[in-house]
Coordinates of all heavy atoms in Angstrom, one line a residue:
K21 N -1.5 -19.7 -5.9 CA -0.2 -18.9 -6.1 C 1.1 -19.7 -6.3 O 2.1 -19.2 -6.6 CB -0.1 -18.2 -4.7 CG 0.9 -17.1 -4.6 CD 0.8 -16.2 -3.4 CE 2.2 -15.6 -2.9 NZ 2.5 -14.4 -3.7
R23 N 2.5 -21.4 -3.9 CA 3.3 -21.0 -2.7 C 3.5 -22.1 -1.7 O 2.6 -22.8 -1.4 CB 2.6 -19.8 -2.0 CG 3.3 -19.2 -0.7 CD 2.6 -18.0 -0.2 NE 3.3 -17.3 0.8 CZ 3.2 -16.1 1.0 NH1 2.5 -15.3 0.2 NH2 3.8 -15.5 2.0
P106 N -1.9 -13.1 0.5 CA -0.5 -12.8 0.2 C -0.6 -11.9 -1.1 O -1.7 -11.6 -1.6 CB 0.0 -14.3 -0.2 CG -1.2 -14.9 -0.7 CD -2.5 -14.4 -0.1
S107 N 0.6 -11.5 -1.5 CA 0.6 -10.6 -2.6 C 0.2 -11.4 -3.9 O 0.3 -12.6 -4.0 CB 2.1 -10.1 -2.9 OG 2.9 -11.1 -2.8
N109 N 0.9 -12.5 -6.9 CA 1.8 -12.9 -7.9 C 2.0 -14.3 -7.7 O 1.9 -14.9 -6.6 CB 3.0 -12.1 -7.7 CG 3.6 -12.2 -6.3 OD1 3.0 -11.6 -5.3 ND2 4.7 -13.0 -6.1
S115 N 6.0 -8.9 -7.4 CA 4.7 -8.6 -6.9 C 3.9 -7.7 -7.9 O 4.6 -7.0 -8.6 CB 4.7 -7.9 -5.5 OG 5.4 -8.7 -4.5
E144 N 5.6 -4.2 -0.6 CA 4.7 -5.0 0.4 C 4.9 -4.2 1.7 O 5.8 -3.5 1.9 CB 5.2 -6.4 0.5 CG 5.0 -7.2 -0.7 CD 6.3 -7.1 -1.6 OE1 7.1 -6.2 -1.3 OE2 6.4 -7.9 -2.5
R163 N 10.4 -7.2 7.9 CA 10.5 -6.8 6.5 C 10.4 -5.4 6.4 O 9.3 -4.8 6.9 CB 9.4 -7.6 5.8 CG 9.3 -7.2 4.3 CD 8.4 -8.0 3.5 NE 7.0 -7.7 3.7 CZ 5.9 -8.3 3.2 NH1 6.2 -9.4 2.5 NH2 4.7 -7.9 3.4
H204 N 12.6 -14.5 -4.1 CA 11.4 -13.6 -4.2 C 11.6 -12.5 -5.3 O 12.8 -12.2 -5.6 CB 11.3 -12.8 -2.9 CG 10.0 -13.1 -2.2 ND1 10.0 -13.4 -0.9 CD2 8.8 -13.1 -2.6 CE1 8.7 -13.5 -0.5 NE2 8.1 -13.3 -1.4
Y205 N 10.5 -12.1 -5.7 CA 10.6 -10.9 -6.5 C 11.3 -10.9 -7.8 O 11.7 -9.9 -8.3 CB 11.0 -9.6 -5.6 CG 10.7 -9.6 -4.3 CD1 11.6 -9.7 -3.2 CD2 9.4 -9.4 -3.9 CE1 11.3 -9.5 -1.9 CE2 9.0 -9.3 -2.6 CZ 9.9 -9.4 -1.6 OH 9.6 -9.4 -0.3
Ligands
MG2 MG1 4.7 -11.7 -1.8

Side-chain angles (χ1 to χ4, degrees):
K21 194 172 154 78
R23 177 174 188 150
S107 48
N109 51 291
S115 301
E144 300 86 348
R163 178 171 77 186
H204 239 133
Y205 319 118

